[in-house]
């Protein structure tokens, strides 16, 4: 089980690091690459065209500004590509979001929220779960854990509000 994470600049890494962490928590191997659709197009083409042969089953592509990286990668592979628009300009990531979601018919890129690395990783795990049934239980267990954490937070808030009302 392997997912590749590619970003247009190493400055995107702080946004993407949670994706790597999440994938590793599910036992998924991660390949991380920095390559720019505009500055290193041949490297991007080589990365995308050879991904399946390297055992990659899904690609997470993150980019800011014009955000062509995900679309260029999708044009060179039939693997699922998950786009993460990065907030990297005065437009607060809206330029990147629109670049990702406006892919032409026939070359899709699934698009997450601006800076949505963790959801991209979880979505990649869900894709892999179709071929790797052991991930189905891990995904279910993660949701139960999340539900328990939310319940505890709700209880803490109720206690704090009750204490404040008595004061």
């Amino acid at each position: 089980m392997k997912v590749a994470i590619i970003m247009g600049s190493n400055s995107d890494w702080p946004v993407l690091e949670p994706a790597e962490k999440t994938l590793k928590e599910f036992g998924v191997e991660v390949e991380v690459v920095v390559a720019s659709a505009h500055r290193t197009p041949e490297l991007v083409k080589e990365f995308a065209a050879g991904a399946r042969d390297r055992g990659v089953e899904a690609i997470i592509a993150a980019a800011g500004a014009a955000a062509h990286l995900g679309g260029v990668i999708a044009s060179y592979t039939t693997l699922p590509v998950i786009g993460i628009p990065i907030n990297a300009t005065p437009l607060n990531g809206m330029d990147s979001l629109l670049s990702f979601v406006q892919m032409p018919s026939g070359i899709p890129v699934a698009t997450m929220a601006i800076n949505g690395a963790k959801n991209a990783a979880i979505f990649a795990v869900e894709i892999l779960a179709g071929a790797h049934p052991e991930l189905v239980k891990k995904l279910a267990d993660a949701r139960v854990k999340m539900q328990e954490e939310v319940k505890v937070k709700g209880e803490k808030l109720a206690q704090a509000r009750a204490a404040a009302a008595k004061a």
Side-chain angles (χ1 to χ4, degrees):
M1 300 180 296
K2 185 175 181 182
V3 171
I5 299 173
I6 182 168
M7 65 208 83
S9 171
N10 66 333
S11 64
D12 299 333
W13 183 242
V15 172
L16 295 170
E17 197 168 12
E20 180 184 46
K21 180 181 180 220
T22 300
L23 289 165
K24 287 183 174 183
E25 287 171 358
F26 281 94
V28 175
E29 182 183 348
V30 181
E31 174 184 323
V32 177
V33 175
V34 175
S36 166
H38 301 106
R39 296 180 296 270
T40 59
E42 289 301 318
L43 182 59
V44 170
K45 179 180 179 181
E46 179 183 312
F47 162 82
R52 188 180 302 276
D53 291 339
R54 292 190 312 278
V56 173
E57 296 176 71
I59 298 171
I60 295 173
H68 292 121
L69 186 60
V72 170
I73 289 168
S75 74
Y76 289 116
T77 185
T78 56
L79 290 170
V81 177
I82 304 163
I84 303 174
I86 300 291
N87 179 359
T89 71
L91 296 174
N92 298 317
M94 287 302 296
D95 47 349
S96 305
L97 175 65
L98 294 173
S99 292
F100 272 113
V101 299
Q102 292 297 322
M103 290 300 301
S105 180
I107 308 292
V109 174
T111 305
M112 299 294 117
I114 296 167
N115 291 353
K118 185 171 181 179
N119 271 355
I122 293 168
F123 190 61
V125 172
E126 291 174 344
I127 291 169
L128 269 58
H132 303 280
E134 66 272 24
L135 291 176
V136 174
K137 180 166 178 8
K138 289 181 179 183
L139 284 162
D141 291 346
R143 288 199 179 184
V144 168
K145 180 181 176 190
M146 181 175 50
Q147 291 168 5
E148 291 168 357
E149 289 170 350
V150 170
K151 184 178 176 187
V152 168
K153 289 176 184 179
E155 290 168 355
K156 283 183 180 179
L157 177 61
Q159 291 171 358
R161 290 184 68 236
K166 289 180 183 178

